[in-house]
Amino acid sequence: MSRSSVSQIFQGKLVQWILVPGLFMTFVLVSIIGINQVKTLEREVVQLSRSLSRNVEFYIDGAEDVLRSVAIMSGDGRVESLRVYFDGLHKLFGQFERLLLLDKNENIVAVSPHGIKGIDFPIRFSGSDKSKRVLTSPIISPHSGKLVVYISIPVEGGGKLVAELSLATLQNFIYGFLSSNRIIILTDSYGNLIVHPDRELVKTQANVGALDVFKKKLDPGQGGFYRAEGRLCFGRVENISGTGWKMLVACSVYSLFQPVLALGLLITLLVVFFFMVLLFALKKQFRQQVVGPLVGYVKKLSAVAKGDYPTATSAESDFTELDELGRVFDSMAEQVREREHDLTVSKRYFQSVIDSMPSALIWVDEDMNVCQCNLKALELFDLESTEIEPENVEVFFGGRKDVVQVIAEAKDRNSPRTLERTGVGNDSSSSFDITAFPLRGFEVKGIVVRIDDVTSRVRMEEIMVQTEKMMSVGGLAAGMAHEINNPLGGIMQGAQNLERKFSPDIKANIDAADEAGCSLESMQKYMESRNVSSIIEGIRDSGLRAARIVSNMLDFSKPGKDVVSTVNVHELIEDSLELSAKDYDLKRKYDFMHINIVREFSRDIPDIICSRTEIEQVLLNLFKNSAQAMSDHGSSGGTPHIYIRTRSRQDAVVIEIEDNGPGMNPDVRKRIFEPFYTTKASGAGTGLGLSVSYFIITQNHGGTFTVSSMPGRGARFTITLPVQGRRP
């Protein structure tokens, strides 16, 4: 099938396409007419400005000639002769509002018309050249109220002949040349108005000397453009010789080009009309043969852009180029579909890789804006999507200057930087390592921030240090206990013997007292009077307390001798709570019955193999410490609470004991399991309770014992015990 190319059709129709040539010709024609119009107006403006300027010169020079004629007609031209001749002069020369004769001191000696001698004369000519004519600036005459100028010529005897020349005739003459599109302005040498289209401005003696057109210097016979009152005008300023006055003849550009623009608009409309007729004739054919296939391609492109790839091939076209375009488009769409699929798979794979990482990953661009993150970062910073709006890194990290500094150093030095053991986001109880390293081998530059949760490692390090301390102290504690036990036994035995020696129940004591010449009763009264019995009782109590310390130390150094059995965890906790409620110290000092016990027990907790008495000892110690802390320092939530939680974790059971007491600072928390370390008052604690508990859990039962706390937020102790007991 024979096909025609789009270029051939376009070339055949280009002959009929006259819009651009028509518009270009219209522009050229309008430009030629506009230039001729400007030249014609320029000649007209120059001629009129020169003509009016000469008329102004003639008017002023004529008035001067009249004055000189008056001086000649008076005879010898002296002041005395002019004074006699002055009467009736005003009637002879109507252009003069007044004629005045001044003596050499500029006093009025004669006035015409007669009878107005007393009128003030507003002008003084002292200091002027006495041999030349003097022309003043226009002013409003105090005699007639009209706009006038004063012309002065010298006379014999030192006087002056002054004429008050009315400008009304000159104004009316010039106003006769005004029209709706013509502007004529006449000013004196200072810019004060004499003639202006707005006659009110002339009456108020407005000044237009600041107009740019009066400052321009143009060549003879040349006009220029200027802007006045927001309008663009074309005109010329002519200087009037002998007066210093300036004549401006101009017209607005709008009125100048209005006929040209109207002609151009008419021609343009005709060209556009002819083009529209031609376009309408070709529209149907062009739409069917060219536009239709192109619209189909556009729809397919839109579908491809939305991810909806068409399966049908493009329809054949009458044009070779369009038919080839359809085949190329189908091939391109298939390639784009395959590449997009590969890109989507690759992107999902990459996102799955980074989302599967236990570390939080954050991408920071070159402008220090956070742009993307993985799921771990999503959880850590409580975000809604991994694709986030760009946000400044300092704002994203809540104003953390240290984090921003690490990222900035990694960017500036192009090497990794790490911030260790710091808090991130809202999780202030955990520790994180923040590592920032620059992207390499990629067109897009930026920084990748990796945030690793090292809380377990940090706590493990603390536990390892604590365990090492415990192991080193264990042998020392055993040795100390044995060394202290011997003298302690002698002290307690001596105290018991003293009590027995003064006991009335033993007959040997009574006999020995009689032999000494005193009764046993009097000796007992003496001992009571001198508090000897109390002293002996104190020795015994102190010995018992020391014995308990020694016993704890021995348990500390030799753990794990209790019998193990299968124990129900919840029953064990309840028994420990019951023991705590009946404990003398807890009842007397810390009012344990008034503490609110909150049980959060899991139902799927299995029985465990452990030493029941040892675990009870640990729980009782924790309950006692919580009660004492909330009693001495108060609770953060008002009413004292102890929360007991249990849950199952794989092959272990987790017991959490948390209170709302004052909490601990980091220094106290790190040393809480050290032997002999206590925060209680002197004499209130031995500092071995948590140390022994720690060894019971970790050494005797193979579990873990950790603590997390912050000042003002209470403390939480977490015990993890294996279900099957300690593994060999």
Side-chain angles (χ1 to χ4, degrees):
M1 184 174 65
S2 177
R3 296 187 180 92
S4 300
S5 66
V6 175
S7 60
Q8 291 174 345
I9 298 296
F10 180 75
Q11 290 173 3
K13 300 300 180 182
L14 187 62
V15 178
Q16 304 174 34
W17 190 284
I18 64 170
L19 179 62
V20 174
L23 293 177
F24 178 75
M25 293 301 298
T26 301
F27 174 76
V28 173
L29 180 62
V30 170
S31 299
I32 294 174
I33 296 174
I35 293 173
N36 291 333
Q37 184 77 1
V38 171
K39 295 295 183 181
T40 302
L41 179 64
E42 185 176 31
R43 289 194 297 270
E44 179 184 343
V45 166
V46 171
Q47 291 175 2
L48 182 58
S49 62
R50 288 177 178 175
S51 175
L52 292 178
S53 297
R54 285 195 293 269
N55 279 280
V56 174
E57 293 178 15
F58 293 156
Y59 189 77
I60 301 299
D61 292 343
E64 181 183 359
D65 293 341
V66 171
L67 285 182
R68 295 192 183 278
S69 300
V70 170
I72 296 172
M73 292 169 61
S74 65
D76 54 8
R78 295 182 178 276
V79 174
E80 292 80 6
S81 302
L82 287 169
R83 184 175 182 181
V84 175
Y85 187 70
F86 230 56
D87 291 337
L89 281 177
H90 180 263
K91 295 180 180 180
L92 296 175
F93 306 103
Q95 70 267 39
F96 298 130
E97 292 293 322
R98 284 192 298 173
L99 291 172
L100 301 97
L101 182 61
L102 307 180
D103 60 14
K104 62 182 179 180
N105 296 322
E106 296 194 358
N107 295 318
I108 300 176
V109 296
V111 179
S112 178
H114 184 69
I116 56 174
K117 293 181 180 180
I119 294 179
D120 292 335
F121 183 56
I123 303 298
R124 293 292 180 265
F125 299 96
S126 56
S128 60
D129 192 344
K130 297 181 179 180
S131 63
K132 296 182 179 179
R133 175 191 76 184
V134 178
L135 179 66
T136 66
S137 295
I139 62 174
I140 302 299
S141 172
H143 165 60
S144 63
K146 298 179 181 179
L147 186 67
V148 298
V149 294
Y150 289 90
I151 301 177
S152 168
I153 62 173
V155 298
E156 294 293 333
K160 292 182 178 64
L161 181 60
V162 180
E164 188 177 275
L165 178 62
S166 173
L167 299 179
T169 302
L170 179 63
Q171 288 174 318
N172 292 333
F173 174 75
I174 295 175
Y175 282 142
F177 291 91
L178 286 175
S179 64
S180 59
N181 60 349
R182 182 179 293 161
I183 301 170
I184 300 177
I185 299 175
L186 177 62
T187 70
D188 63 6
S189 58
Y190 300 104
N192 298 316
L193 286 176
I194 300 173
V195 174
H196 192 276
D198 188 352
R199 303 191 184 193
E200 292 298 323
L201 295 178
V202 178
K203 292 180 181 180
T204 59
Q205 287 287 277
N207 189 291
V208 294
L211 285 176
D212 292 339
V213 68
F214 290 109
K215 301 176 182 178
K216 290 184 177 180
K217 292 183 180 180
L218 302 174
D219 296 333
Q222 183 182 9
F225 291 94
Y226 71 95
R227 186 172 294 278
E229 299 179 357
R231 296 187 305 170
L232 184 64
C233 301
F234 178 84
R236 174 175 174 78
V237 176
E238 191 76 27
N239 293 319
I240 301 174
S241 61
T243 62
W245 294 4
K246 297 180 180 180
M247 173 72 70
L248 169 63
V249 178
C251 69
S252 67
V253 173
Y254 175 75
S255 62
L256 171 64
F257 290 107
Q258 184 179 11
V260 179
L261 294 176
L263 178 61
L265 180 61
L266 178 60
I267 297 175
T268 301
L269 291 176
L270 290 175
V271 172
V272 171
F273 174 76
F274 182 74
F275 170 74
M276 293 300 294
V277 172
L278 181 62
L279 181 63
F280 179 78
L282 297 175
K283 185 176 181 180
K284 183 177 181 181
Q285 182 181 2
F286 190 75
R287 179 180 295 175
Q288 291 176 350
Q289 297 182 1
V290 177
V291 176
L294 291 178
V295 169
Y297 298 148
V298 169
K299 290 181 179 179
K300 289 186 176 182
L301 283 173
S302 300
V304 170
K306 296 177 181 178
D308 183 13
Y309 296 95
T311 55
T313 58
S314 302
E316 293 186 352
S317 173
D318 294 336
F319 301 130
T320 303
E321 288 83 355
L322 293 179
D323 190 65
E324 181 67 21
L325 179 62
R327 289 196 295 270
V328 171
F329 172 79
D330 294 338
S331 175
M332 181 191 67
E334 180 63 22
Q335 293 179 11
V336 171
R337 185 188 66 79
E338 294 176 356
R339 292 177 182 178
E340 183 176 359
H341 177 265
D342 295 341
L343 181 62
T344 302
V345 171
S346 177
K347 183 177 180 181
R348 289 176 180 174
Y349 174 76
F350 173 74
Q351 189 66 38
S352 298
V353 170
I354 64 173
D355 286 342
S356 301
M357 297 180 66
S359 302
L361 294 180
I362 298 171
W363 176 49
V364 180
D365 63 14
E366 287 187 299
D367 298 326
M368 297 293 284
N369 292 322
V370 176
C371 299
Q372 192 174 358
C373 63
N374 67 346
L375 286 179
K376 189 65 178 180
L378 204 70
E379 299 171 0
L380 186 60
F381 291 93
D382 195 20
L383 301 175
E384 295 180 356
S385 173
T386 55
E387 300 288 341
I388 59 179
E389 291 292 330
E391 184 177 22
N392 183 267
V393 66
E394 184 172 353
V395 177
F396 183 83
F397 282 96
R400 291 284 301 277
K401 301 291 186 182
D402 52 349
V403 177
V404 176
Q405 183 178 359
V406 167
I407 298 174
E409 288 180 357
K411 173 188 173 186
D412 296 338
R413 301 182 183 181
N414 198 29
S415 61
R417 288 292 182 271
T418 302
L419 179 65
E420 297 182 345
R421 299 189 182 185
T422 184
V424 172
N426 299 323
D427 190 359
S428 57
S429 62
S430 301
S431 297
F432 297 89
D433 283 353
I434 300 177
T435 304
F437 49 93
L439 284 174
R440 301 181 187 274
F442 190 54
E443 294 180 358
V444 180
K445 301 298 182 182
I447 302 295
V448 175
V449 180
R450 189 186 71 208
I451 303 175
D452 297 312
D453 188 348
V454 295
T455 306
S456 300
R457 189 188 74 191
V458 171
R459 291 180 179 174
M460 183 60 66
E461 290 174 356
E462 294 176 357
I463 291 172
M464 290 175 65
V465 172
Q466 199 68 32
T467 303
E468 194 68 26
K469 289 181 180 179
M470 296 297 182
M471 293 177 64
S472 62
V473 171
L476 179 62
M480 290 176 60
H482 285 295
E483 291 297 328
I484 294 173
N485 220 10
N486 294 329
L488 184 61
I491 293 173
M492 294 183 65
Q493 185 177 2
Q496 291 175 355
N497 288 334
L498 284 175
E499 289 180 340
R500 287 174 57 82
K501 295 297 183 182
F502 291 99
S503 173
D505 297 332
I506 300 175
K507 185 175 183 301
N509 294 340
I510 299 174
D511 295 340
D514 292 340
E515 290 180 4
C518 61
S519 66
L520 186 60
E521 293 179 355
S522 61
M523 291 179 65
Q524 289 179 339
K525 288 181 180 179
Y526 170 78
M527 291 175 64
E528 291 177 358
S529 175
R530 299 299 294 169
N531 292 325
V532 176
S533 299
S534 299
I535 294 173
I536 296 174
E537 184 179 355
I539 294 173
R540 186 189 61 188
D541 291 341
S542 298
L544 290 174
R545 184 168 178 268
R548 285 198 299 271
I549 294 175
V550 171
S551 177
N552 285 335
M553 291 175 65
L554 288 174
D555 290 339
F556 176 73
S557 60
K558 299 177 181 179
K561 293 184 179 180
D562 263 8
V563 177
V564 296
S565 61
T566 302
V567 177
N568 183 284
V569 176
H570 293 162
E571 291 180 359
L572 180 62
I573 295 173
E574 294 295 343
D575 291 344
S576 301
L577 287 173
E578 185 176 355
L579 288 174
S580 300
K582 295 178 179 179
D583 185 273
Y584 175 76
D585 286 338
L586 289 178
K587 291 170 62 179
R588 180 172 64 88
K589 296 181 180 180
Y590 310 123
D591 200 8
F592 189 81
M593 296 298 293
H594 288 80
I595 297 176
N596 187 13
I597 306 298
V598 180
R599 298 168 176 83
E600 299 178 4
F601 293 164
S602 177
R603 296 181 179 179
D604 58 348
I605 299 298
D607 294 342
I608 63 174
I609 298 175
C610 67
S611 171
R612 184 182 187 92
T613 56
E614 288 185 348
I615 302 303
E616 281 183 349
Q617 178 184 352
V618 172
L619 296 176
L620 182 62
N621 191 22
L622 292 177
F623 295 150
K624 186 174 183 179
N625 287 343
S626 296
Q628 183 177 8
M630 290 187 288
S631 175
D632 293 344
H633 304 284
S635 57
S636 59
T639 303
H641 283 73
I642 294 179
Y643 301 88
I644 306 173
R645 305 182 183 94
T646 61
R647 65 178 183 273
S648 178
R649 180 193 294 172
Q650 296 179 352
D651 57 349
V653 172
V654 179
I655 304 173
E656 287 186 359
I657 298 176
E658 181 179 357
D659 60 47
N660 61 342
M664 295 177 281
N665 59 48
D667 294 335
V668 174
R669 181 179 60 81
K670 290 180 181 180
R671 301 186 60 190
I672 198 66
F673 295 120
E674 290 184 11
F676 307 110
Y677 178 77
T678 179
T679 58
K680 302 175 183 177
S682 178
T686 63
L688 292 174
L690 287 177
S691 301
V692 173
S693 299
Y694 181 83
F695 262 74
I696 289 174
I697 298 299
T698 59
Q699 297 297 319
N700 293 2
H701 292 81
T704 61
F705 193 13
T706 61
V707 59
S708 60
S709 176
M710 292 186 65
R713 298 188 180 179
R716 180 173 69 245
F717 290 87
T718 303
I719 300 171
T720 304
L721 294 171
V723 174
Q724 299 300 324
R726 179 180 175 86
R727 294 180 180 178

